[in-house]
Amino acid sequence: MSSAKKSYQRVTTHSLIQMKKDGEKIAMLTSYDFTFAGLVDGAGVDVILVGDSASNVIAGHETTLPITLDQMIYHASSVVRAAKRALVVVDLPFGAYQADSREALKSAIRIMKESGAHAVKLEGGIQVKPSIERILQAGIPVMGHLGLTPQSIYKFGTYTVRAKQEAEAAQLLADTKMLEELGCFGIVLEKIPANLAKQATQSVKIPIIGIGAGSQVDGQVLVLHDMLGMNKEFSPRFLRRYADLDKVIHNAVEQYTKDVKSRDFPNEKEQY
Ligand code: KIV
């Protein structure tokens, strides 16, 4: 395995599979708007996920369930306008694909047509097989998502680590193989034991992207606002903070407010 990094003009689903072959780790981050997506893309991330975590970090909901297909399309189209190199993957939101496979295909087509994104992601294994098959048959690339699947939070009851028990671990491995056989181009594994994630990764040729799934996977994904330190209430063990934007933004806004109140801003040079 070589760790040499090829340069990709535009990352595609095929380049991701090639990166796994070459042993090059895949960097994926979420974005929900034009400005952040431009920064993330410009800094060289391989995949931008327009996650339904927008429901939490942008809209302030407690779960990912309330966000709608229209809202996801709005976020996705803003991100697509900014992304010059990264592959843009968009979450199918809760309620847009579970009812039946026709509904799932209609939702996926709306995302692709109205936002210009490159692929969709959806949560679940065997229970959403017909939807995945139908979307793939229409030529739309699909990324799977197994382990902790936040759209099922009311079934799980907690955001704790999944697949610690043998039966759930075996199902996850079976679902991983099934998603590969169906033709998914990659899978997100969220919050599962590192050893299980390693086993899943070694069992397939498509890239496995982990979040709270250890280091023996093909790539990592984090929620942008969490890794930038904008969301101090959320501190799971797997989260590494790369900046303290909460503090930077707080200090900047506090200083601006003081300057306005004290008549320091604007000064003579800052007026016409
Ligand atoms: O919605 C999201 O941000 C996600 C990631 C946590 C993988 O699905």
Side-chain angles (χ1 to χ4, degrees):
M1 243 189 244
S2 122
S3 61
K5 193 173 183 299
K6 280 194 187 129
S7 70
Y8 293 93
Q9 298 269 30
R10 167 66 86 176
V11 178
T12 65
T13 56
H14 299 277
S15 3
L16 297 181
I17 292 167
Q18 188 60 43
M19 284 180 194
K20 172 163 181 151
K21 253 193 210 154
D22 295 344
E24 178 182 342
K25 296 280 185 183
I26 297 163
M28 172 162 155
L29 276 177
T30 66
S31 294
Y32 318 99
D33 67 44
F34 179 83
T35 303
F36 272 114
L39 292 167
V40 165
D41 186 68
V45 88
D46 300 305
V47 185
I48 297 181
L49 172 65
V50 185
D52 59 357
S53 49
S55 180
N56 309 103
V57 298
I58 303 297
H61 293 296
E62 226 171 84
T63 72
T64 58
L65 277 67
I67 199 159
T68 66
L69 185 58
D70 283 340
Q71 289 165 340
M72 288 303 298
I73 290 169
Y74 167 75
H75 288 298
S77 54
S78 309
V79 168
V80 166
R81 283 192 284 276
K84 303 282 178 272
R85 176 185 173 273
L87 181 85
V88 179
V89 181
V90 182
D91 266 338
L92 276 164
F94 178 68
Y97 63 98
Q98 289 91 346
D100 62 51
S101 63
R102 286 171 67 90
E103 188 68 31
L105 177 57
K106 274 191 200 158
S107 303
I109 288 176
R110 278 202 61 201
I111 288 178
M112 301 296 285
K113 226 177 165 66
E114 295 176 39
S115 77
H118 310 127
V120 298
K121 171 165 89 56
L122 54 84
E123 297 182 5
I126 188 76
Q127 66 279 29
V128 287
K129 184 176 174 213
S131 295
I132 294 175
E133 279 174 326
R134 200 153 191 158
I135 298 170
L136 285 167
Q137 274 161 17
I140 300 172
V142 176
M143 179 171 233
H145 185 156
L146 302 171
L148 176 65
T149 47
Q151 292 177 12
S152 302
I153 187 57
Y154 291 119
K155 182 177 88 179
F156 297 146
T158 117
Y159 285 101
T160 194
V161 179
R162 300 304 312 174
K164 279 166 109 177
Q165 307 303 326
E166 219 173 283
E168 197 178 333
Q171 187 59 54
L172 183 136
L173 290 174
D175 283 342
T176 300
K177 277 307 270 180
M178 185 204 72
L179 292 177
E180 178 182 48
E181 279 158 16
L182 289 180
C184 289
F185 70 88
I187 304 171
V188 167
L189 291 184
E190 181 164 352
K191 228 171 170 187
I192 61 166
N195 267 335
L196 178 61
K198 178 182 172 186
Q199 239 183 299
T201 302
Q202 288 174 348
S203 75
V204 290
K205 291 198 167 60
I206 56 171
I208 300 292
I209 312 294
I211 171 163
S215 61
Q216 304 294 304
V217 289
D218 303 306
Q220 299 291 329
V221 58
L222 286 174
V223 168
L224 184 67
H225 292 57
D226 298 339
M227 61 84 79
L228 291 178
M230 296 174 85
N231 175 14
K232 286 294 170 59
E233 283 104 69
F234 185 64
S235 266
R237 189 204 299 197
F238 68 75
L239 175 62
R240 186 182 290 182
R241 289 207 175 91
Y242 286 84
D244 194 359
L245 284 200
D246 173 278
K247 205 161 159 193
V248 171
I249 293 171
H250 177 92
N251 290 346
V253 174
E254 194 174 56
Q255 188 60 49
Y256 164 78
T257 305
K258 276 188 193 152
D259 290 352
V260 170
K261 302 246 176 230
S262 68
R263 297 175 165 74
D264 179 83
F265 176 78
N267 62 27
E268 280 193 3
K269 287 189 200 143
E270 291 162 332
Q271 65 188 18
Y272 299 98

